[in-house]
Amino acid sequence: MNETRNTKNNKGPNKKGSKFNIYWIYGIVILVLLVIQVYSAGVGASEEISYKRFNELAQSGAIDKLEVVNKTTAKVYIKKSRLDSEEFKNISTDAFNINQPHFNFNIGTVDALETRLEKINESLQPDQQIFPLYRNEYSWTSALTYILPIILIVAIWIFIMRRMSGGAGGPGAQIFNIGKSKATLFDKDTKVNVTFQDVAGLDEAKEEVIEVVDFLKNPKKYTALGGKIPKGVLLVGPPGTGKTLLAKAVAGEAEVPFFTISGSDFVEMFVGVGASRVRDLFRQAREKAPCIIFIDEIDAIGRARGRNSIQGGNDERENTLNQLLVEMDGFSSEKGVILMAATNRPDVLDSALLRPGRFDRQIGIDRPDLNGREQIFRVHLKHIKASSAVNAEVLAEMTPGFAGAEIANVCNESALIAARRGKKKVDMDDFNYALDKVIGGLEKKNKLISPGEKKVIAYHEAGHAICGWFLEHASPLVKVTIVPRGIGTLGYAQYLPKEEYITSTEQLLDRMCMTFGGRAAETIVFGKVSTGAQNDLDQITKMAYSMISVYGMNENVGNVSFYGLQKDQISKPYSEETSALIDSEVRKMVQIQFERAKDLLSKHRNELEILAHALLEKEVVVKSDLELLIGNRPYPEEEKLKKQLPDQIVSIEDVDDNNTTTT
Ligand code: ADP
C-alpha cells in the first residue's frame, strides 16, 4: 500500500525525515556548560588579594597596570621585570599568568577605589602612579543565566508539541503535518484486488458506478454532447450492504489513483485542522487527476449545520463542512476528480451537500433481496471449502433481512465451526449453527434453566408461532428455537416477510397480535405472566403509537401524522387533549389485540400444545416440521413470489434474572 501521508503506519519512511532529536538539545547544553567550566577555570587562576597587599605592591612600584572590570573587580598586572624576584616566585612560573592578571581584588565601589588610588598616587613618583583602566567584560557564566532558561523553555515546548502530534498521528508525526490529509492513496503501484466481480447483487448501483469509471477513462465521449461529468456520487444504505466494497471495486477497476479517507479522519482537537485537511486532500487530488476521492462515513463531517446548536462546539465541524462545500464548488469535473462518499444516515446530511452540482448522483443501496442474498452467498462460498450439499439458494431463503456483511460473517463462522469440529469440508449443519450464532448469539450449553422455566419459554415461543400460523396477514414462520443464546437470550422465532413496500392496517394489527402470542400463551396455559414478554411489549407499544400518531390509522385521532413535527420540535406538537386521546387509543388497540391473541390461541390450543411439546423435546422446530405436526398453513403461500422484501422480525425473549427488564 502506498500511503502518501498516512501517519498511522509509516514509522519507516517518516523516521528518516525526522533527524531532529530532543537529546541533541540536552547534549548541546551539557557541552556549553563544560566549555564554560574549562574557560572560567583559566580566568579564576589569578590570586585574590586584600586591599592592604595591593597597597604594598603599589608602594613598591611593582604594578604595571590596573584594570577595573565591570566596575567590580580590579585586576592587577605586575611588571615583567619584577616577576623574577623572590616575592613573585609562585606566580612567575605559572604559564597561565603570562597574559593574565596576576592578582585581583574586589573594589567595593568605583568612588572608593578612586579615593584610595589618589592617596597612593600622592606618595608615588609621577612615572609610577597608577591610573586604572575601566573595562566591561561579558562573562559566559552571566550570559548563561539568560540563555539557559530560554533553551529550556524551547526544549520543553518542542517536546510537548511532538507529543501532541504523536498522539494524533503516530510516533513519527510532526506538529507541522497536522493539517495534512490522512487519505490513503491507491495508485498503479498499489493494486486493489477488489473488482466488480466481488460485488454480488447491487446491479443498478454497479451500473451507475461503472459509468463513473467510464467518465474518467473517456471524458470526451460524454462532454462531446454538452453533458457535464458529475462531481460527486453518494452511496446511501444501511450498514454492511457493500458501500465500501463497491467503492473499492471502483478503485480496482478504474485504474486511476484512488484516495480513500474516513469522515472522522478530518476531525481533530485543534481548530481549523479539518478545513486544512480538506484543502490538502483536494490539492493532492488535483495533482493526481484524473482520480477518485472516496470519503467513507461522510456524516461525520456532513451533518446539517446549525442543528444541536444548544450543545455548542460544532464550529470546527461546520468549518470542515464549509471547506468541503467550497472545494466541491471549486474543482471542475473536467479535471477528472470525482468525489465518492458513503453514508448510512442521509437524513442528517446538510442539504447544501446533497444538492445537484455537488453530489449529483445518489445511489441507494438496500439490503439484498432473495436473489441478491443468493448471489452474495455464491461470492463468499467461493472462498471456503464447502461440501456439495451446501446450497446458496436455501441459505438465501434462511437469511431474510441479512445484509452482505452478515452473510460474509455467516460464511466465515461456518468455516470456523467446521474447522473446530475437525471436518474436511463445511456442510449445511455448520451453516445452521453459524446462522443461529449470528442471529441469537453464542449457544450457552451450560446455562442452567429449570424445567419450569423451559416450559414457559417453550409455550411463549409456541404462542408466537401458532398465532403467526393462523393469522392471515402475519409473516410465515421460518424457525423457532428455545436454545439459550448470547446474553439473556432464551429463544427466538424467525419469520419470512412478504415482498411489500407498503403495509396495511390489517397487516400491522396481525403483526401486533402475533407479537402478543407469547404473553397470551403464558396467560392461557399458566394463568400468569412473566418478564419474558418485555421485548414484545416494547415492539407493540412502538407499533401502536406509530399507527396512531404517525400513520393516521385511528378513527378517533384521525388522519394526522406528527412525525415530521415531532422531529423538529422539542415539545409535543399537539395539545394535552390529543395527547390523552392518543394514549387512550393506544391502550384500547393494544388490549383488543391481546384479547384477540388469547382467543386465537384458545381456539388452537391443541396446536399450541403440540408445538410446545415438540419444542421441549427437540428445542428447534423449522417450518417443515411444523407442517408435519399441525398441517399446512390455512392461507395460500406467498412463497411463489420469488423476490421478497428484505426484512426480518426476530422476537428475542428475555427472561434472564441478570437482565433488569421487567414488564
Ligand atoms: P458498508 O456498506 O457498511 O460500507 P462494507 O462494504 O464494508 O459495508 O461491507 C462489509 C463486508 O460485507 C464486505 O467486505 C463484504 O465481505 C461483505 N459484502 C457486503 N455487501 C456485499 C456484496 N454485495 N457482495 C459481496 N460481499 C458483500
Side-chain angles (χ1 to χ4, degrees):
M1 204 189 290
N2 172 18
E3 302 201 348
T4 44
R5 277 209 187 84
N6 192 339
T7 41
K8 279 177 204 146
N9 312 319
N10 58 357
K11 280 184 194 163
N14 250 10
K15 254 204 172 137
K16 259 189 193 170
S18 68
K19 292 212 174 91
F20 176 80
N21 191 324
I22 191 76
Y23 294 108
W24 282 107
I25 290 197
Y26 300 150
I28 290 167
V29 170
I30 291 169
L31 202 73
V32 167
L33 284 174
L34 277 176
V35 168
I36 290 162
Q37 191 63 32
V38 171
Y39 180 77
S40 55
V43 174
S46 65
E47 190 188 329
E48 190 164 0
I49 51 169
S50 65
Y51 183 74
K52 190 172 159 246
R53 173 89 174 109
F54 167 72
N55 205 4
E56 281 168 17
L57 288 171
Q59 297 298 346
S60 67
I63 292 175
D64 182 27
K65 65 175 176 178
L66 183 72
E67 264 180 19
V68 177
V69 178
N70 296 343
K71 296 182 183 167
T72 53
T73 312
K75 293 183 174 179
V76 183
Y77 294 78
I78 304 297
K79 284 183 179 150
K80 238 184 191 159
S81 53
R82 302 285 291 270
L83 277 176
D84 297 332
S85 72
E86 189 65 16
E87 192 184 355
F88 305 115
K89 200 176 76 195
N90 283 346
I91 51 168
S92 60
T93 50
D94 196 335
F96 264 125
N97 292 321
I98 294 167
N99 288 317
Q100 295 282 329
H102 303 108
F103 301 105
N104 68 73
F105 65 96
N106 201 320
I107 60 165
T109 63
V110 174
D111 286 347
L113 179 74
E114 289 285 344
T115 327
R116 280 171 174 169
L117 281 178
E118 246 171 56
K119 263 191 200 156
I120 294 171
N121 283 341
E122 274 172 18
S123 59
L124 289 178
Q125 297 291 324
D127 60 327
Q128 286 185 342
Q129 283 180 349
I130 302 164
F131 297 99
L133 215 80
Y134 291 96
R135 195 153 65 72
N136 277 337
E137 203 172 71
Y138 297 99
S139 85
W140 279 100
T141 26
S142 61
L144 210 66
T145 46
Y146 298 106
I147 296 170
L148 208 62
I150 296 172
I151 291 179
L152 266 175
I153 289 167
V154 169
I156 290 169
W157 182 76
I158 292 175
F159 182 73
I160 291 172
M161 282 312 188
R162 281 167 60 82
R163 268 293 152 98
M164 267 155 82
S165 63
Q174 300 280 319
I175 184 74
F176 312 106
N177 275 344
I178 201 151
K180 300 275 161 64
S181 115
K182 294 207 235 164
T184 309
L185 171 68
F186 295 93
D187 55 18
K188 53 185 180 307
D189 308 323
T190 51
K191 206 85 195 102
V192 184
N193 296 323
V194 184
T195 64
F196 286 135
Q197 299 286 324
D198 298 308
V199 187
L202 313 180
D203 293 334
E204 300 84 2
K206 259 200 268 183
E207 226 167 77
E208 291 275 306
V209 290
I210 285 171
E211 209 177 45
V212 170
V213 173
D214 205 33
F215 284 145
L216 290 172
K217 285 186 176 167
N218 315 304
K220 291 249 157 55
K221 180 173 148 193
Y222 298 89
T223 48
L225 296 177
K228 271 199 196 125
I229 291 172
K231 282 183 183 174
V233 178
L234 184 66
L235 305 172
V236 180
T241 43
K243 299 181 294 294
T244 313
L245 189 74
L246 194 63
K248 273 193 197 151
V250 171
E253 300 269 347
E255 292 165 1
V256 295
F258 185 88
F259 291 90
T260 165
I261 188 167
S262 163
S264 58
D265 282 342
F266 292 105
V267 187
E268 196 72 67
M269 61 183 276
F270 303 111
V271 175
V273 167
S276 148
R277 284 187 180 162
V278 171
R279 266 194 302 275
D280 189 57
L281 175 65
F282 278 83
R283 187 188 52 74
Q284 284 185 45
R286 268 189 289 266
E287 279 169 15
K288 295 259 179 192
C291 70
I292 297 172
I293 301 174
F294 175 61
I295 304 180
D296 209 352
E297 314 291 353
I298 196 171
D299 43 292
I301 49 167
R303 244 162 231 269
R305 290 162 292 179
R307 274 202 205 162
N308 305 329
S309 50
I310 311 160
Q311 295 164 16
N314 281 328
D315 280 0
E316 169 59 3
R317 200 176 45 71
E318 287 195 3
N319 286 345
T320 312
L321 174 59
N322 284 339
Q323 188 61 41
L324 183 68
L325 298 177
V326 168
E327 291 288 347
M328 285 191 80
D329 274 343
F331 77 83
S332 84
S333 46
E334 270 80 65
K335 288 218 179 84
V337 180
I338 290 187
L339 185 65
M340 283 180 79
T343 179
N344 46 34
R345 313 257 344 249
D347 50 316
V348 300
L349 290 185
D350 198 285
S351 49
L353 199 60
L354 296 175
R355 76 148 165 78
R358 293 210 175 100
F359 282 107
D360 306 276
R361 288 200 175 182
Q362 293 179 26
I363 304 178
I365 297 183
D366 222 334
R367 287 175 193 272
D369 57 13
L370 189 66
N371 271 333
R373 290 201 299 276
E374 191 182 322
Q375 287 177 38
I376 297 174
F377 264 115
R378 281 190 207 291
V379 165
H380 289 282
L381 283 176
K382 265 192 237 155
H383 303 298
I384 57 176
K385 280 190 187 160
S387 81
S388 53
V390 173
N391 186 336
E393 205 177 326
V394 175
L395 284 171
E397 269 175 22
M398 286 162 70
T399 49
F402 273 43
E406 282 155 331
I407 292 175
N409 193 14
V410 166
C411 290
N412 189 44
E413 279 293 339
S414 57
L416 295 180
I417 289 160
R420 197 190 300 155
R421 291 170 171 174
K423 291 185 188 169
K424 291 249 155 39
K425 284 193 166 169
V426 190
D427 59 29
M428 216 49 191
D429 196 33
D430 304 316
F431 271 98
N432 276 326
Y433 191 87
L435 271 175
D436 281 342
K437 195 172 164 186
V438 171
I439 297 172
L442 202 64
E443 191 172 321
K444 290 271 175 75
K445 286 212 181 72
N446 52 2
K447 193 165 191 164
L448 281 180
I449 294 178
S450 67
E453 263 181 343
K454 201 162 176 185
K455 213 170 152 190
V456 174
I457 301 163
Y459 274 97
H460 184 109
E461 294 303 337
H464 284 305
I466 296 295
C467 270
W469 201 256
F470 292 106
L471 285 170
E472 187 178 354
H473 303 291
S475 308
L477 185 82
V478 173
K479 180 177 177 178
V480 48
T481 158
I482 57 162
V483 179
R485 295 180 173 280
I487 313 156
T489 312
L490 295 175
Y492 69 84
Q494 193 186 4
Y495 309 92
L496 191 63
K498 292 178 238 168
E499 183 189 19
E500 279 157 343
Y501 297 97
I502 48 171
T503 316
S504 66
T505 315
E506 289 75 35
Q507 282 167 328
L508 286 173
L509 290 176
D510 276 7
R511 210 179 275 176
M512 199 184 281
C513 178
M514 183 183 75
T515 317
F516 257 134
R519 172 152 283 204
E522 284 179 42
T523 321
I524 293 170
V525 178
F526 305 104
K528 56 188 177 191
V529 292
S530 74
T531 54
Q534 181 267 337
N535 198 309
D536 299 338
L537 298 184
D538 197 43
Q539 281 189 24
I540 289 165
T541 316
K542 252 190 244 161
M543 222 189 284
Y545 271 103
S546 304
M547 282 175 77
I548 293 170
S549 68
V550 176
Y551 301 120
M553 284 177 171
N554 183 278
E555 273 181 18
N556 293 336
V557 177
N559 293 324
V560 283
S561 172
F562 301 109
Y563 180 69
L565 289 170
Q566 228 152 10
K567 242 185 15 180
D568 299 337
Q569 260 168 257
I570 298 167
S571 58
K572 280 180 189 161
Y574 39 75
S575 69
E576 285 304 319
E577 289 89 74
T578 314
S579 180
L581 183 64
I582 291 174
D583 287 344
S584 78
E585 288 300 315
V586 163
R587 271 165 220 282
K588 223 193 277 172
M589 178 186 272
V590 165
Q591 193 53 33
I592 290 171
Q593 292 312 316
F594 184 51
E595 293 301 330
R596 196 172 153 221
K598 280 201 293 190
D599 290 348
L600 191 73
L601 287 179
S602 304
K603 204 172 131 200
H604 295 286
R605 177 75 189 249
N606 203 16
E607 284 87 353
L608 178 71
E609 294 289 343
I610 292 171
L611 178 56
H613 282 107
L615 271 175
L616 281 170
E617 201 183 308
K618 289 174 33 182
E619 294 198 331
V620 182
V621 172
V622 293
K623 191 180 153 211
S624 52
D625 298 335
L626 196 60
E627 279 171 351
L628 286 177
L629 288 171
I630 62 169
N632 282 354
R633 201 163 172 248
Y635 303 103
E637 278 302 335
E638 304 81 1
E639 269 179 317
K640 313 282 171 308
L641 295 164
K642 245 315 190 189
K643 274 188 141 192
Q644 315 207 7
L645 178 73
D647 186 14
Q648 180 186 29
I649 310 167
V650 178
S651 99
I652 295 172
E653 315 315 333
D654 172 6
V655 285
D656 198 328
D657 277 350
N658 295 336
N659 204 304
T660 50
T661 48
T662 48
T663 44

